[in-house]
Amino acid sequence: MSILFTILITFFAGLGAGLGTGFAGMSAAAVISPMLITFLGMDPYMAVGIALSSDVLASAVSAYTYHKNKNLDIRNGLIMMASVLVFTVVGSFVASLVPSSTMGVFSVFMTFLLGIKFIVRPVMTTKEAMQGVSAKKRAIQSLICGVMIGFICGFIGAGGGMMMLLILTSVLGYELKTAVGTSVFIMTFTALTGAISHFTIGGLSDKLVWVLCVVFTLLWARIAAVFANKATPKTLNRATGVVLVVLGVVIMGFQLLS
């Protein structure tokens, strides 16, 4: 397989993953893994490890950009992250006890539906409305929602970023920029945990693909995050919706090919 083809595949994988991360706090694994498996014939376990490690820097730089623009709820993000990490392990253990299912397809379909939702029914909550909720109530909500997200992610094995965005906007009533900023903040640490465990267990056999995916995802996540923080709520909802719909359709296509 030529180096040019490898660069081309990793570029488009990084493009999709970076835009998904910067705009919607979506996990890079949802885009990069199926592309590496389908077009480069990579071992699925290794592909997920590379995708998760690409997610770390992309989410971190996105979180920094959102934080700089005061669109990040660190306090409640830390509460949610702790419960997400713990219950991802619980969900993973429960999943190992039941027959494997096609729940991964569900998370991709959910990405598509969430994109439609942002286009048709945009999130127009303001920061003022967000601040109307007491700190204690918000902390309890964050803890409970983190438990739900973590368990579902561990059980399904995917969809963490999408679950967080959906719950932050629909259940916790976050305005969209703060929801995405908080989501990428949490994803930085969940992706780091996943990447370390994957590389510790399976090693890293293809360093070129790894470096290319990390660089391209980081580049496009930074571009998307800068644009998202400057955009009006209406424009951001539409842009996020379009990115999610396109990614949902493309990933479903990859799953049919593989």
Side-chain angles (χ1 to χ4, degrees), residues 69-158:
N69 288 276
K70 297 182 172 57
N71 292 317
L72 172 55
D73 184 355
I74 292 180
R75 181 176 176 272
N76 291 302
L78 286 170
I79 294 170
M80 189 178 288
M81 179 177 69
S83 53
V84 166
L85 289 173
V86 171
F87 277 84
T88 297
V89 176
V90 175
S92 182
F93 174 72
V94 173
S96 70
L97 303 177
V98 299
S100 61
S101 63
T102 56
M103 290 299 280
V105 177
F106 168 75
S107 68
V108 176
F109 189 58
M110 191 177 79
T111 301
F112 174 78
L113 290 181
L114 195 56
I116 297 289
K117 187 250 180 203
F118 281 123
I119 295 170
V120 177
R121 290 190 64 190
V123 177
M124 301 304 285
T125 309
T126 61
K127 284 190 177 178
E128 289 73 27
M130 273 181 61
Q131 288 162 0
V133 179
S134 70
K136 184 180 178 181
K137 183 180 178 183
R138 182 71 79 200
I140 293 169
Q141 286 177 330
S142 298
L143 181 66
I144 294 169
C145 289
V147 169
M148 287 165 50
I149 294 165
F151 184 82
I152 291 168
C153 293
F155 191 78
I156 296 173

Side-chain angles (χ1 to χ4, degrees), residues 30 57 61 77 90-91 112 115 117 141-142 145 169 178-179 192 195 216 231 233 240:
L57 282 178
V61 77
V90 175
F112 174 78
K117 187 250 180 203
Q141 286 177 330
S142 298
C145 289
T169 53
T178 308
L192 179 63
F216 289 139
T240 304

Side-chain angles (χ1 to χ4, degrees), residues 182-205:
T182 306
S183 179
V184 289
F185 171 70
I186 296 169
M187 290 302 293
T188 303
F189 297 96
T190 54
L192 179 63
T193 306
I196 290 171
S197 66
H198 267 71
F199 289 149
T200 302
I201 295 167
L204 178 59
S205 59

